[in-house]
Amino acid sequence: MIKKFASFNHDVKLTLITTLLSNIGIFMVIPFLSIFLNQLATITTSEVGIIIGVAFWCQRAGSLLGGLLSDYIHTKGTMLLGLIVRIPGYLLIGYVDNFYLLLLSCILIGLGSSIYLPAAKSFLIKVIGENEKVSVLSMRAIFANIGVAIGPIIGVAVFSLSPSVLFTSVGIIFIFLTLLNLKLNGDVNPIETRKISLCDLLALIKNKTMICISIAMFLVMAFFMQIDVTIPMFTSATFDNQTTSYVFICNALIVIFFQSSVSSWACSGSSRLPFSLAFLLFSACFLLFDFITTEYSILFLSIILFSLAEIIIQIRLDYDTTNINPNMVATAFGIMSLAGAFGGLFGSYTGTLLYNTGLFGLSLWTLLALSSAIAAFIYFIYHYETE
């Protein structure tokens, strides 16, 4: 991995380092955000779900704005904007307990992330060769998950000291990253200087592959959102806050060690097998949660299955999205993320709503297992191919 990283140019290296450091900051917070909000006496459990769900929706929905700004105006400027917007959100959240101010803080954090992500992915695709697309997307995922692994280790110590210090520290990280990214060379691919019309955008939205990818992303994020909301609530209540951080570390380590080896397979051939297998892995993961009492082995087995599903389906979605329209890669990422925003909002709301009560006598975990198994069956019967 080090040798591969060294072979990349300055812009790719700097973008990957930014991905690493930003994810360290983000995941210093994410494992403990729902715990922190639940501990506040001024807001209810439902309001916690709304805050996290809306924040996640902004984190994904704003990606369309980020993609359009990147493709239509300037990629580097969009990346800088995405970093800057997050700073006041992190600096504010640790010092307020009002629902609306907490919501505003999380919206800024989510919006900044969503503006940055499609621009950064598009930027990597622009400055790398066609044959290196899977490699650089895989490397980006590895760097992101190294940050995911390191972040909770730091976060649990700082959170125990003071939540406000935790959030302020992350705000300072993003100030540093903003200054660091001023050194990017900027747009380098002359094909991107071509004017993109409204007709191009409408054609991309109506593209069959784009629609299929968007539907898949909706489903994926409805399931994936549980690791940010209900799984931390479950592990904190069943075990302790430290176990919550271990869940995120386990998730990250699986991605780090298996991303490269899985990516080539997941991005070759038909989408049928990767998608079906990923949803089946999600199903098995959620099913195991019904059997967890105090067994760490079952907990971490379920997280391993969850992580493998994430590896397979995320790299395939990213890769297929880059092949729809080479001139509108960032916008395509934005549309995909917008669909994921609605899926994440749905997953957050239903997850917190059904966490304690279930539905029709079935637990939340059983409902999630059945839903993902149905999704696997559907994608085994019907699958898209990039055009």
Side-chain angles (χ1 to χ4, degrees):
M1 185 182 75
I2 296 175
K3 183 178 179 181
K4 188 64 179 179
F5 175 76
S7 69
F8 291 134
N9 63 39
H10 169 269
D11 283 343
V12 173
K13 289 177 181 176
L14 185 51
T15 304
L16 291 174
I17 290 171
T18 300
T19 298
L20 169 63
L21 295 179
S22 64
N23 271 41
I24 289 175
I26 291 167
F27 282 89
M28 284 171 63
V29 170
I30 284 181
F32 313 105
L33 182 58
S34 61
I35 298 169
F36 167 72
L37 294 174
N38 267 310
Q39 290 174 348
L40 295 176
T42 55
I43 58 175
T44 66
T45 303
S46 296
E47 287 174 331
V48 172
I50 291 171
I51 290 172
I52 295 178
V54 170
F56 184 85
W57 188 83
C58 290
Q59 183 182 359
R60 295 285 169 171
S63 291
L64 180 57
L65 173 62
L68 291 171
L69 288 174
S70 180
D71 284 335
Y72 279 73
I73 301 177
H74 198 268
T75 303
K76 177 183 174 181
T78 304
M79 293 166 69
L80 289 172
L81 178 63
L83 294 170
I84 292 169
V85 167
R86 280 180 273 194
I87 295 170
Y90 281 116
L91 295 180
L92 177 64
I93 191 172
Y95 299 94
V96 297
D97 59 5
N98 176 270
F99 169 74
Y100 295 103
L101 290 177
L102 290 166
L103 182 63
L104 174 62
S105 299
C106 289
I107 285 173
L108 290 173
I109 292 169
L111 188 62
S113 180
S114 67
I115 290 173
Y116 177 82
L117 185 60
K121 284 185 178 181
S122 173
F123 187 76
L124 288 173
I125 297 301
K126 289 178 187 179
V127 298
I128 207 73
E130 177 69 23
N131 294 332
E132 294 291 322
K133 282 199 302 185
V134 174
S135 177
V136 77
L137 288 172
S138 176
M139 186 68 71
R140 193 206 68 82
I142 291 172
F143 270 65
N145 281 278
I146 291 174
V148 174
I150 296 173
I153 298 174
I154 302 172
V156 70
V158 183
F159 182 75
S160 300
L161 175 67
S162 169
S164 59
V165 171
L166 173 63
F167 298 126
T168 301
S169 300
V170 177
I172 293 171
I173 289 174
F174 279 96
I175 293 173
F176 169 74
L177 289 176
T178 300
L179 297 175
L180 186 66
N181 274 257
L182 291 173
K183 296 183 178 181
L184 285 173
N185 292 325
D187 293 323
V188 295
N189 193 340
I191 194 172
E192 296 297 328
T193 61
R194 181 182 76 83
K195 289 290 183 181
I196 301 171
S197 68
L198 179 60
C199 291
D200 293 324
L201 175 60
L202 294 176
L204 180 62
I205 293 173
K206 295 186 292 185
N207 181 280
K208 180 182 176 182
T209 303
M210 187 78 259
I211 292 171
C212 290
I213 287 174
S214 298
I215 294 172
M217 193 63 174
F218 177 92
L219 295 172
V220 169
M221 296 317 300
F223 298 132
F224 185 80
M225 189 62 183
Q226 306 313 313
I227 201 169
D228 289 337
V229 183
T230 56
I231 291 177
M233 292 168 64
F234 175 84
T235 54
S236 179
T238 307
F239 300 96
D240 50 42
N241 288 349
Q242 195 169 21
T243 301
T244 302
S245 67
Y246 292 156
V247 164
F248 282 86
I249 294 168
C250 177
N251 172 247
L253 290 176
I254 295 299
V255 177
I256 291 166
F257 288 114
F258 290 95
Q259 182 74 61
S260 295
S261 57
V262 171
S263 292
S264 297
W265 170 79
C267 294
S268 62
S270 168
S271 63
R272 172 184 288 168
L273 185 56
F275 273 60
S276 299
L277 178 58
F279 282 119
L280 282 176
L281 289 171
F282 275 135
S283 180
C285 161
F286 294 130
L287 190 60
L288 284 175
F289 266 88
D290 261 334
F291 297 94
I292 298 173
T293 53
T294 57
E295 297 89 352
Y296 283 95
S297 58
I298 299 178
L299 172 64
F300 287 105
L301 175 58
S302 66
I303 299 303
I304 290 170
L305 296 176
F306 186 98
S307 304
L308 291 173
E310 174 192 352
I311 294 172
I312 294 168
I313 205 159
Q314 188 60 65
I315 191 67
R316 181 67 194 224
L317 285 170
D318 281 350
Y319 176 72
D320 287 348
T321 301
T322 66
N323 294 325
I324 298 173
N325 185 335
N327 294 318
M328 299 184 71
V329 173
T331 304
F333 276 127
I335 293 171
M336 179 180 70
S337 292
L338 177 61
F342 286 105
L345 184 60
F346 176 78
S348 173
Y349 180 75
T350 56
T352 54
L353 180 66
L354 302 176
Y355 178 71
N356 291 317
T357 61
L359 186 66
F360 302 126
L362 300 175
S363 71
L364 169 66
W365 309 117
T366 301
L367 292 168
L368 289 169
L370 288 173
S371 299
S372 48
I374 291 170
F377 178 72
I378 291 172
Y379 271 95
F380 184 78
I381 295 175
Y382 175 79
H383 60 284
Y384 69 83
E385 300 297 344
T386 51
E387 296 174 358

